[in-house]
Amino acid sequence: MRLWLSQRLTAVVMAVYIVLLLVALLIIQPADYAAWHAFVSPIWFRLATLLFFMCLFMHAWLGVADVLKDYVFNKVLRAYLQMAVDVALMLYLFWIIYILWNV
């Protein structure tokens, strides 16, 4: 039940972020590089974006684990596939941290 609830809560966080991002884009409407840089450079925006991606990766990790449990019956193959997904998601997380802190 805890994993199910975690996946639903991450979906809610992502939905709220997307709605707020769209509203901010409708209000501010950055048109050039300087405006985009000013839009994405505040620390609160970078932290909110990092939270979004952390929720996205957790949501994906839980979803892939469920799909693998349902469709991959060989436990060794399932473990290797899950490990590959885990490594990829961790690399993506480090990549997004690098991108957000070098804006």
Side-chain angles (χ1 to χ4, degrees), residues 24-32 35:
L25 285 173
L26 286 173
I27 293 171
I28 297 172
Q29 297 181 357
D32 58 354

Side-chain angles (χ1 to χ4, degrees), residues 26-83:
L26 286 173
I27 293 171
I28 297 172
Q29 297 181 357
D32 58 354
Y33 176 79
W36 275 104
H37 191 269
F39 180 72
V40 300
S41 59
I43 190 71
W44 62 266
F45 181 83
R46 290 187 277 169
L47 288 175
T49 304
L50 180 60
L51 176 65
F52 169 81
F53 278 102
M54 289 172 66
C55 288
L56 177 68
F57 296 150
M58 183 175 176
H59 191 87
W61 178 73
L62 292 168
V64 168
D66 285 342
V67 169
L68 291 176
K69 279 188 238 174
D70 289 343
Y71 294 106
V72 179
F73 300 110
N74 184 333
K75 290 184 180 183
V76 174
L77 178 60
R78 183 180 349 160
Y80 280 121
L81 290 172
Q82 186 66 50
M83 195 178 334

Side-chain angles (χ1 to χ4, degrees), residues 40 46 49 53 92-103:
V40 300
R46 290 187 277 169
T49 304
F53 278 102
Y92 293 148
L93 181 61
F94 291 137
W95 190 14
I96 196 67
I97 290 170
Y98 174 78
I99 290 169
L100 289 173
W101 261 247
N102 288 316
V103 169

